[in-house]
Coordinates of all heavy atoms in Angstrom, one line a residue:
M59 N 0.8 -1.2 0.0 CA 0.0 0.0 0.0 C 0.9 1.2 0.0 O 1.9 1.3 0.7 CB -0.9 0.0 1.3 CG -1.8 1.2 1.3 SD -2.7 1.3 2.9 CE -1.4 1.9 3.9
R60 N 0.5 2.2 -0.8 CA 1.4 3.4 -1.0 C 0.6 4.6 -0.6 O -0.6 4.7 -0.9 CB 1.9 3.5 -2.4 CG 2.9 2.5 -2.7 CD 3.3 2.3 -4.1 NE 4.3 1.3 -4.2 CZ 5.6 1.5 -4.6 NH1 6.0 2.7 -4.9 NH2 6.4 0.5 -4.6
K61 N 1.2 5.5 0.1 CA 0.6 6.8 0.4 C 1.5 7.9 -0.2 O 2.7 7.8 -0.1 CB 0.5 7.0 1.9 CG -0.5 6.1 2.6 CD -0.6 6.4 4.1 CE -1.6 5.4 4.7 NZ -1.5 5.5 6.2
Y62 N 0.8 8.9 -0.8 CA 1.5 10.0 -1.4 C 1.2 11.3 -0.7 O 0.1 11.5 -0.2 CB 1.1 10.1 -2.9 CG 1.6 8.9 -3.7 CD1 0.8 7.7 -3.8 CD2 2.8 8.9 -4.3 CE1 1.2 6.6 -4.5 CE2 3.2 7.8 -5.1 CZ 2.4 6.7 -5.2 OH 2.9 5.6 -5.9
G63 N 2.2 12.2 -0.7 CA 2.0 13.5 -0.1 C 1.2 14.4 -1.0 O 0.9 14.0 -2.2
K64 N 0.9 15.6 -0.5 CA 0.1 16.5 -1.3 C 0.8 16.9 -2.6 O 0.2 17.3 -3.6 CB -0.2 17.8 -0.5 CG -1.2 17.5 0.6 CD -1.4 18.8 1.5 CE -2.4 18.5 2.6 NZ -2.5 19.6 3.6
D65 N 2.2 16.9 -2.5 CA 3.0 17.2 -3.7 C 3.1 16.1 -4.7 O 3.8 16.2 -5.7 CB 4.4 17.7 -3.3 CG 5.1 16.6 -2.4 OD1 4.6 15.6 -2.2 OD2 6.3 16.9 -2.1
G66 N 2.5 14.9 -4.4 CA 2.5 13.8 -5.3 C 3.7 12.9 -5.1 O 3.8 11.9 -5.7
R67 N 4.5 13.2 -4.1 CA 5.7 12.4 -3.8 C 5.4 11.3 -2.9 O 4.6 11.4 -2.0 CB 6.8 13.3 -3.2 CG 8.1 12.6 -3.2 CD 9.3 13.6 -3.0 NE 9.5 13.9 -1.6 CZ 10.5 14.5 -1.1 NH1 11.5 15.0 -1.9 NH2 10.7 14.7 0.2
L68 N 6.0 10.1 -3.2 CA 5.8 8.9 -2.3 C 6.2 9.2 -0.9 O 7.3 9.6 -0.6 CB 6.6 7.8 -2.9 CG 6.4 6.4 -2.2 CD1 4.9 5.9 -2.3 CD2 7.4 5.4 -2.8
D69 N 5.2 9.0 0.0 CA 5.5 9.3 1.5 C 5.8 8.0 2.2 O 6.6 7.9 3.1 CB 4.3 9.9 2.1 CG 4.4 11.4 2.1 OD1 5.4 12.0 1.8 OD2 3.4 12.0 2.5
C70 N 5.1 6.9 1.8 CA 5.1 5.7 2.7 C 4.7 4.5 1.9 O 3.8 4.6 1.0 CB 4.0 6.0 3.8 SG 3.6 4.6 4.8
V71 N 5.3 3.4 2.1 CA 5.0 2.1 1.5 C 4.8 1.1 2.7 O 5.7 1.0 3.5 CB 6.0 1.6 0.5 CG1 5.6 0.2 -0.1 CG2 6.2 2.6 -0.6
I72 N 3.7 0.4 2.7 CA 3.4 -0.6 3.8 C 3.2 -1.9 3.1 O 2.4 -2.0 2.1 CB 2.2 -0.2 4.6 CG1 2.5 1.1 5.4 CG2 1.8 -1.3 5.5 CD1 1.3 1.7 6.1
C73 N 3.8 -3.0 3.6 CA 3.6 -4.3 3.1 C 2.2 -4.7 3.4 O 1.8 -4.7 4.5 CB 4.6 -5.3 3.7 SG 4.3 -7.0 3.2
N74 N 1.5 -5.1 2.3 CA 0.0 -5.5 2.5 C -0.1 -6.8 3.3 O -1.1 -7.0 3.9 CB -0.6 -5.6 1.1 CG -1.0 -4.3 0.5 OD1 -0.1 -3.6 0.0 ND2 -2.2 -3.9 0.5
R75 N 0.9 -7.6 3.3 CA 0.8 -8.9 3.9 C 1.1 -8.8 5.4 O 0.3 -9.3 6.2 CB 1.7 -9.9 3.3 CG 1.6 -11.3 3.8 CD 2.4 -12.3 2.9 NE 2.2 -13.7 3.4 CZ 3.2 -14.3 4.0 NH1 4.4 -13.7 4.2 NH2 3.1 -15.5 4.4
C76 N 2.2 -8.2 5.8 CA 2.6 -8.2 7.2 C 2.5 -6.8 7.9 O 2.6 -6.7 9.1 CB 4.0 -8.7 7.4 SG 5.3 -7.5 6.8
G77 N 2.2 -5.8 7.1 CA 2.0 -4.5 7.7 C 3.3 -3.7 8.0 O 3.3 -2.6 8.5
K78 N 4.5 -4.3 7.6 CA 5.7 -3.6 7.8 C 5.8 -2.3 7.0 O 5.4 -2.3 5.8 CB 6.9 -4.5 7.4 CG 8.3 -3.9 7.5 CD 9.3 -4.8 6.9 CE 10.7 -4.1 6.8 NZ 11.7 -5.0 6.1
K79 N 6.3 -1.2 7.7 CA 6.5 0.0 7.0 C 7.9 0.0 6.4 O 8.9 -0.1 7.1 CB 6.3 1.2 7.9 CG 6.3 2.5 7.3 CD 6.1 3.6 8.3 CE 6.1 5.0 7.6 NZ 5.8 6.1 8.6
L80 N 8.0 0.2 5.0 CA 9.3 0.1 4.4 C 9.9 1.5 4.4 O 9.2 2.5 4.4 CB 9.1 -0.3 2.9 CG 8.4 -1.7 2.8 CD1 8.2 -2.1 1.3 CD2 9.2 -2.8 3.5
A81 N 11.2 1.5 4.3 CA 12.0 2.7 4.3 C 11.8 3.5 3.0 O 12.0 3.0 2.0 CB 13.5 2.4 4.5
V82 N 11.3 4.7 3.2 CA 11.2 5.7 2.0 C 11.9 6.9 2.4 O 11.7 7.5 3.5 CB 9.7 6.0 1.7 CG1 9.6 7.0 0.6 CG2 8.9 4.7 1.4
K83 N 12.8 7.4 1.5 CA 13.5 8.6 1.7 C 13.5 9.4 0.4 O 13.8 8.9 -0.7 CB 15.0 8.3 2.1 CG 15.8 9.5 2.6 CD 17.1 9.0 3.1 CE 17.9 10.2 3.6 NZ 19.2 9.9 4.1
H84 N 13.1 10.7 0.5 CA 13.0 11.6 -0.6 C 12.2 11.0 -1.7 O 12.5 11.1 -2.9 CB 14.4 12.0 -1.1 CG 15.3 12.6 -0.1 ND1 14.9 13.7 0.6 CD2 16.5 12.2 0.4 CE1 15.8 14.0 1.5 NE2 16.8 13.1 1.4
G85 N 11.1 10.2 -1.4 CA 10.2 9.7 -2.4 C 10.6 8.4 -3.0 O 10.0 8.0 -4.0
I86 N 11.7 7.8 -2.5 CA 12.2 6.6 -3.1 C 12.3 5.5 -2.1 O 12.7 5.7 -1.0 CB 13.6 6.8 -3.7 CG1 13.5 7.8 -4.9 CG2 14.2 5.5 -4.2 CD1 14.9 8.3 -5.4
V87 N 11.8 4.3 -2.4 CA 11.8 3.2 -1.5 C 13.2 2.7 -1.4 O 13.9 2.4 -2.4 CB 10.9 2.0 -2.0 CG1 10.8 0.9 -1.0 CG2 9.5 2.5 -2.4
R88 N 13.7 2.6 -0.2 CA 15.1 2.2 0.0 C 15.4 0.8 0.4 O 16.4 0.5 1.0 CB 15.7 3.1 1.1 CG 15.6 4.6 0.8 CD 16.5 5.0 -0.3 NE 16.3 6.4 -0.6 CZ 17.2 7.1 -1.2 NH1 18.4 6.6 -1.6 NH2 17.0 8.4 -1.5
E89 N 14.4 -0.1 0.2 CA 14.6 -1.5 0.4 C 13.8 -2.3 -0.6 O 13.0 -1.7 -1.3 CB 14.3 -1.9 1.8 CG 12.9 -1.6 2.3 CD 12.7 -1.9 3.8 OE1 12.9 -3.1 4.2 OE2 12.4 -1.0 4.6
G90 N 14.0 -3.6 -0.6 CA 13.4 -4.4 -1.6 C 11.9 -4.5 -1.4 O 11.4 -4.6 -0.3
V91 N 11.1 -4.2 -2.5 CA 9.7 -4.3 -2.5 C 9.2 -4.9 -3.8 O 9.7 -4.6 -4.8 CB 9.1 -2.9 -2.2 CG1 9.5 -1.9 -3.3 CG2 7.6 -2.9 -2.1
F92 N 8.1 -5.7 -3.7 CA 7.4 -6.2 -4.8 C 6.1 -5.4 -5.0 O 5.3 -5.4 -4.0 CB 7.2 -7.7 -4.7 CG 6.3 -8.3 -5.8 CD1 7.0 -8.8 -6.9 CD2 4.9 -8.3 -5.7 CE1 6.2 -9.3 -8.0 CE2 4.2 -8.8 -6.7 CZ 4.8 -9.3 -7.9
T93 N 5.9 -4.8 -6.1 CA 4.8 -4.0 -6.4 C 3.9 -4.6 -7.5 O 4.4 -5.0 -8.5 CB 5.2 -2.6 -6.8 OG1 6.0 -2.0 -5.8 CG2 3.9 -1.7 -7.0
S94 N 2.6 -4.8 -7.2 CA 1.7 -5.3 -8.2 C 0.6 -4.2 -8.5 O 0.0 -3.7 -7.6 CB 1.0 -6.6 -7.8 OG 0.1 -7.0 -8.7
D95 N 0.5 -3.9 -9.8 CA -0.6 -3.1 -10.2 C -1.3 -3.9 -11.3 O -1.0 -3.7 -12.5 CB -0.1 -1.7 -10.8 CG 0.6 -0.9 -9.7 OD1 0.0 -0.6 -8.7 OD2 1.8 -0.7 -9.9
H96 N -2.2 -4.8 -10.9 CA -2.7 -5.7 -11.9 C -4.1 -5.3 -12.4 O -5.0 -5.1 -11.5 CB -2.8 -7.1 -11.3 CG -3.3 -8.2 -12.3 ND1 -2.5 -8.6 -13.3 CD2 -4.5 -8.8 -12.4 CE1 -3.2 -9.5 -14.0 NE2 -4.4 -9.6 -13.5
R97 N -4.3 -5.2 -13.7 CA -5.6 -4.9 -14.3 C -6.3 -6.2 -14.7 O -5.8 -6.9 -15.6 CB -5.4 -4.0 -15.5 CG -6.6 -3.5 -16.2 CD -6.3 -2.7 -17.4 NE -5.4 -1.6 -17.1 CZ -5.8 -0.4 -16.8 NH1 -7.1 -0.2 -16.7 NH2 -4.9 0.5 -16.5
W98 N -7.4 -6.6 -14.0 CA -8.1 -7.8 -14.3 C -8.9 -7.6 -15.6 O -9.4 -6.5 -15.9 CB -9.1 -8.1 -13.2 CG -8.4 -8.6 -12.0 CD1 -8.0 -7.8 -10.9 CD2 -7.9 -9.9 -11.7 NE1 -7.3 -8.6 -10.0 CE2 -7.3 -9.8 -10.4 CE3 -7.9 -11.1 -12.4 CZ2 -6.7 -11.0 -9.9 CZ3 -7.4 -12.2 -11.8 CH2 -6.7 -12.1 -10.5
D99 N -8.9 -8.6 -16.4 CA -9.5 -8.4 -17.7 C -10.9 -9.1 -17.8 O -11.4 -9.7 -16.9 CB -8.6 -8.9 -18.9 CG -8.3 -10.4 -18.8 OD1 -9.0 -11.1 -18.1 OD2 -7.3 -10.8 -19.4
F100 N -11.5 -9.1 -19.0 CA -12.8 -9.6 -19.3 C -13.0 -11.0 -18.9 O -14.1 -11.4 -18.5 CB -13.1 -9.4 -20.8 CG -14.4 -9.9 -21.2 CD1 -15.5 -9.2 -21.0 CD2 -14.5 -11.2 -21.9 CE1 -16.8 -9.6 -21.4 CE2 -15.8 -11.6 -22.3 CZ -16.9 -10.9 -22.1
F101 N -12.0 -11.8 -19.0 CA -12.2 -13.3 -18.7 C -12.1 -13.6 -17.2 O -12.3 -14.7 -16.8 CB -11.1 -14.1 -19.4 CG -11.2 -13.9 -20.9 CD1 -10.4 -13.1 -21.6 CD2 -12.3 -14.5 -21.6 CE1 -10.5 -12.9 -23.0 CE2 -12.4 -14.4 -23.0 CZ -11.5 -13.6 -23.7
S102 N -11.9 -12.6 -16.4 CA -11.9 -12.9 -14.9 C -13.2 -12.5 -14.3 O -14.1 -11.8 -15.0 CB -10.8 -12.0 -14.3 OG -11.1 -10.7 -14.2
E103 N -13.4 -12.8 -13.0 CA -14.6 -12.3 -12.3 C -14.4 -10.9 -11.7 O -15.3 -10.4 -11.1 CB -14.9 -13.3 -11.2 CG -15.2 -14.7 -11.7 CD -15.4 -15.7 -10.6 OE1 -15.3 -15.3 -9.4 OE2 -15.7 -16.9 -10.9
K104 N -13.2 -10.3 -12.0 CA -12.9 -9.0 -11.5 C -12.7 -8.0 -12.6 O -12.0 -7.0 -12.5 CB -11.6 -9.1 -10.6 CG -11.7 -10.0 -9.4 CD -10.3 -10.1 -8.7 CE -10.4 -11.1 -7.7 NZ -10.6 -12.5 -8.1
D105 N -13.4 -8.3 -13.7 CA -13.3 -7.4 -14.9 C -13.5 -6.0 -14.5 O -14.5 -5.7 -13.8 CB -14.3 -7.9 -16.0 CG -14.2 -7.1 -17.2 OD1 -13.1 -6.6 -17.5 OD2 -15.2 -7.0 -17.9
G106 N -12.6 -5.1 -15.0 CA -12.8 -3.7 -14.7 C -12.1 -3.2 -13.4 O -12.1 -2.0 -13.1
E107 N -11.5 -4.2 -12.6 CA -10.9 -3.8 -11.4 C -9.3 -3.8 -11.6 O -8.8 -4.6 -12.3 CB -11.2 -4.8 -10.3 CG -12.7 -4.8 -9.9 CD -13.0 -5.8 -8.8 OE1 -12.0 -6.3 -8.2 OE2 -14.2 -6.0 -8.5
I108 N -8.7 -2.8 -10.9 CA -7.2 -2.8 -10.9 C -6.8 -3.0 -9.4 O -7.3 -2.3 -8.6 CB -6.7 -1.5 -11.4 CG1 -7.2 -1.2 -12.8 CG2 -5.1 -1.5 -11.4 CD1 -6.8 0.2 -13.4
H109 N -6.0 -4.0 -9.2 CA -5.6 -4.4 -7.8 C -4.2 -3.9 -7.6 O -3.3 -4.3 -8.4 CB -5.7 -5.9 -7.6 CG -7.1 -6.4 -7.5 ND1 -7.5 -7.5 -6.8 CD2 -8.3 -5.8 -7.9 CE1 -8.8 -7.7 -6.9 NE2 -9.3 -6.6 -7.5
H110 N -4.0 -3.1 -6.5 CA -2.6 -2.6 -6.2 C -2.2 -3.2 -4.9 O -3.0 -3.1 -3.9 CB -2.7 -1.1 -6.0 CG -3.2 -0.3 -7.2 ND1 -2.4 0.0 -8.3 CD2 -4.4 0.1 -7.5 CE1 -3.2 0.6 -9.2 NE2 -4.4 0.7 -8.7
F111 N -1.0 -3.7 -4.8 CA -0.5 -4.1 -3.5 C 1.1 -4.1 -3.5 O 1.7 -4.2 -4.6 CB -1.1 -5.4 -2.9 CG -0.7 -6.6 -3.7 CD1 0.5 -7.3 -3.5 CD2 -1.5 -7.1 -4.7 CE1 0.8 -8.5 -4.2 CE2 -1.2 -8.2 -5.5 CZ -0.1 -8.9 -5.2
D112 N 1.6 -4.1 -2.3 CA 3.1 -4.1 -2.2 C 3.4 -5.2 -1.2 O 2.7 -5.4 -0.2 CB 3.6 -2.8 -1.7 CG 3.4 -1.7 -2.7 OD1 4.2 -1.6 -3.6 OD2 2.5 -0.9 -2.5
L113 N 4.5 -5.9 -1.4 CA 5.0 -6.9 -0.5 C 6.5 -6.6 -0.1 O 7.3 -6.2 -1.0 CB 5.0 -8.3 -1.1 CG 3.6 -8.9 -1.4 CD1 3.8 -10.2 -2.1 CD2 2.8 -9.1 -0.2
C114 N 6.8 -6.7 1.2 CA 8.2 -6.5 1.5 C 9.0 -7.8 1.0 O 8.4 -8.8 0.6 CB 8.4 -6.4 3.1 SG 8.1 -7.9 4.0
E115 N 10.3 -7.7 1.0 CA 11.1 -8.8 0.4 C 10.9 -10.1 1.2 O 10.8 -11.2 0.6 CB 12.5 -8.4 0.3 CG 13.3 -9.4 -0.6 CD 14.7 -8.8 -1.0 OE1 15.0 -7.7 -0.6 OE2 15.3 -9.5 -1.8
D116 N 10.8 -10.0 2.5 CA 10.5 -11.3 3.3 C 9.2 -11.9 2.9 O 9.1 -13.1 2.8 CB 10.5 -10.9 4.8 CG 12.0 -10.7 5.3 OD1 12.9 -11.0 4.6 OD2 12.1 -10.1 6.4
C117 N 8.2 -11.1 2.8 CA 6.9 -11.7 2.4 C 6.9 -12.2 1.0 O 6.3 -13.3 0.7 CB 5.8 -10.6 2.6 SG 5.3 -10.4 4.3
Y118 N 7.5 -11.5 0.1 CA 7.7 -12.0 -1.2 C 8.3 -13.4 -1.2 O 7.8 -14.3 -1.9 CB 8.5 -11.0 -2.1 CG 8.8 -11.6 -3.5 CD1 7.9 -11.4 -4.5 CD2 10.0 -12.3 -3.7 CE1 8.2 -11.9 -5.8 CE2 10.2 -12.8 -5.0 CZ 9.3 -12.6 -6.0 OH 9.5 -13.2 -7.2
N119 N 9.4 -13.5 -0.4 CA 10.1 -14.8 -0.4 C 9.2 -15.9 0.2 O 9.2 -17.0 -0.3 CB 11.4 -14.7 0.5 CG 12.4 -13.8 -0.2 OD1 12.4 -13.6 -1.4 ND2 13.3 -13.3 0.6
E120 N 8.4 -15.6 1.2 CA 7.5 -16.6 1.8 C 6.4 -17.0 0.9 O 6.0 -18.1 0.8 CB 7.0 -16.0 3.2 CG 8.1 -15.9 4.2 CD 7.6 -15.3 5.5 OE1 6.3 -15.3 5.7 OE2 8.4 -14.8 6.3
V121 N 5.8 -16.0 0.2 CA 4.7 -16.2 -0.7 C 5.2 -17.1 -1.9 O 4.5 -18.1 -2.2 CB 4.0 -14.9 -1.2 CG1 3.1 -15.2 -2.3 CG2 3.3 -14.2 0.0
T122 N 6.3 -16.7 -2.5 CA 6.7 -17.4 -3.7 C 7.3 -18.8 -3.3 O 7.3 -19.7 -4.2 CB 7.8 -16.6 -4.4 OG1 8.9 -16.3 -3.6 CG2 7.2 -15.3 -5.0
A123 N 7.7 -19.0 -2.0 CA 8.2 -20.3 -1.6 C 7.0 -21.3 -1.6 O 7.3 -22.5 -1.6 CB 8.8 -20.2 -0.2
E124 N 5.8 -20.8 -1.5 CA 4.6 -21.7 -1.5 C 4.2 -22.1 -3.0 O 3.4 -23.0 -3.1 CB 3.4 -21.0 -0.9 CG 3.6 -20.7 0.6 CD 2.5 -20.0 1.2 OE1 1.6 -19.6 0.5 OE2 2.5 -19.7 2.4
F125 N 4.8 -21.5 -4.0 CA 4.5 -21.8 -5.4 C 4.9 -23.3 -5.6 O 6.0 -23.7 -5.2 CB 5.2 -20.9 -6.3 CG 4.7 -19.5 -6.4 CD1 3.7 -19.1 -5.6 CD2 5.3 -18.6 -7.2 CE1 3.2 -17.7 -5.6 CE2 4.9 -17.3 -7.3 CZ 3.8 -16.8 -6.5
R126 N 4.1 -24.0 -6.3 CA 4.5 -25.4 -6.8 C 5.5 -25.3 -7.9 O 6.3 -26.2 -8.1 CB 3.2 -26.2 -7.2 CG 2.3 -26.5 -6.1 CD 1.2 -27.4 -6.5 NE 0.4 -27.7 -5.3 CZ -0.5 -28.6 -5.2 NH1 -0.7 -29.4 -6.3 NH2 -1.3 -28.8 -4.1
V127 N 5.3 -24.3 -8.7 CA 6.3 -24.0 -9.8 C 7.0 -22.7 -9.5 O 6.4 -21.7 -9.2 CB 5.5 -23.8 -11.2 CG1 6.5 -23.5 -12.3 CG2 4.7 -25.1 -11.5
P128 N 8.4 -22.8 -9.4 CA 9.1 -21.6 -8.9 C 9.0 -20.5 -9.9 O 8.7 -20.6 -11.1 CB 10.6 -22.1 -8.8 CG 10.6 -23.4 -9.6 CD 9.2 -24.0 -9.7
V129 N 9.3 -19.3 -9.4 CA 9.3 -18.1 -10.1 C 10.4 -18.2 -11.2 O 11.5 -18.7 -10.9 CB 9.6 -16.9 -9.2 CG1 9.8 -15.6 -10.0 CG2 8.5 -16.7 -8.2
D130 N 10.2 -17.7 -12.4 CA 11.2 -17.6 -13.4 C 12.1 -16.4 -13.1 O 11.6 -15.3 -12.9 CB 10.6 -17.4 -14.8 CG 10.1 -18.7 -15.4 OD1 10.6 -19.7 -15.1 OD2 9.1 -18.6 -16.2
V131 N 13.4 -16.6 -13.0 CA 14.3 -15.6 -12.6 C 15.3 -15.5 -13.7 O 15.9 -16.5 -14.2 CB 15.0 -15.9 -11.3 CG1 16.1 -14.8 -11.0 CG2 14.0 -16.0 -10.1
E132 N 15.6 -14.3 -14.2 CA 16.7 -14.0 -15.1 C 17.5 -12.8 -14.7 O 16.9 -12.0 -13.9 CB 16.1 -13.8 -16.5 CG 15.3 -12.6 -16.7 CD 14.8 -12.4 -18.1 OE1 15.6 -12.2 -19.0 OE2 13.6 -12.4 -18.3
D133 N 18.7 -12.8 -15.0 CA 19.5 -11.6 -14.7 C 19.2 -10.4 -15.6 O 19.1 -10.6 -16.8 CB 21.0 -11.9 -14.8 CG 21.5 -13.0 -13.8 OD1 20.9 -13.0 -12.7 OD2 22.4 -13.8 -14.1
E134 N 19.0 -9.3 -14.9 CA 18.8 -8.1 -15.7 C 20.1 -7.6 -16.3 O 21.1 -7.6 -15.7 CB 18.2 -7.0 -14.7 CG 17.8 -5.7 -15.4 CD 17.1 -4.8 -14.5 OE1 17.2 -5.0 -13.2 OE2 16.4 -3.9 -14.9
I135 N 19.9 -7.2 -17.6 CA 21.1 -6.6 -18.3 C 21.1 -5.1 -18.1 O 20.2 -4.4 -18.4 CB 21.1 -7.0 -19.8 CG1 21.1 -8.5 -20.0 CG2 22.2 -6.3 -20.5 CD1 20.7 -8.9 -21.4
E136 N 22.2 -4.7 -17.4 CA 22.3 -3.3 -17.1 C 22.8 -2.5 -18.3 O 23.8 -2.9 -18.9 CB 23.2 -3.0 -15.9 CG 22.6 -3.4 -14.6 CD 23.4 -3.0 -13.4 OE1 23.9 -1.9 -13.5 OE2 23.4 -3.7 -12.4
L137 N 22.1 -1.4 -18.7 CA 22.6 -0.6 -19.8 C 23.3 0.6 -19.2 O 22.8 1.4 -18.4 CB 21.4 -0.1 -20.6 CG 20.5 -1.2 -21.2 CD1 19.3 -0.6 -21.9 CD2 21.4 -2.0 -22.2
L138 N 24.6 0.7 -19.5 CA 25.4 1.8 -18.9 C 25.6 2.9 -19.9 O 25.5 2.8 -21.0 CB 26.8 1.3 -18.4 CG 26.7 0.1 -17.4 CD1 28.1 -0.3 -17.1 CD2 26.1 0.7 -16.1
Ligands
ZN127 ZN1 5.8 -8.1 4.6

């Protein structure tokens, strides 16, 4: 969950799963966070809804550890 100040700058990020408040400084999250902004489509029962949530890195690890099929991970190629 994200809260923004009156100036539109990110003020606060809270893990939706455990409630931990993540470190935010000058509008930037300073620790690992998984953010979902998922738009459900016509074929779902949530057509027209957009679901937003954030997970801290510990919760991300615990949630994805429950997957029967592991997350696909690839190394990001940094463009310098
Ligand atoms: Zn958490």
Side-chain angles (χ1 to χ4, degrees):
M59 181 188 77
R60 289 170 179 247
K61 290 182 183 172
Y62 294 88
K64 289 178 184 172
D65 57 358
R67 192 160 86 168
L68 182 63
D69 265 353
C70 168
V71 179
I72 295 171
C73 175
N74 284 75
R75 183 168 180 255
C76 73
K78 176 185 171 187
K79 188 175 179 181
L80 302 178
V82 174
K83 190 172 181 183
H84 303 303
I86 297 171
V87 187
R88 302 291 178 156
E89 58 185 299
V91 62
F92 174 88
T93 301
S94 176
D95 298 300
H96 184 73
R97 183 183 305 272
W98 291 95
D99 64 17
F100 178 78
F101 299 103
S102 76
E103 295 177 0
K104 300 174 187 63
D105 183 27
E107 296 179 11
I108 303 172
H109 289 202
H110 306 276
F111 65 88
D112 295 280
L113 295 176
C114 71
E115 195 164 0
D116 287 343
C117 285
Y118 175 86
N119 291 341
E120 291 174 20
V121 168
T122 56
E124 295 176 356
F125 290 0
R126 290 188 183 192
V127 178
V129 173
D130 280 331
V131 178
E132 64 179 295
D133 291 328
E134 187 173 15
I135 298 169
E136 288 190 36
L137 301 175
L138 300 176

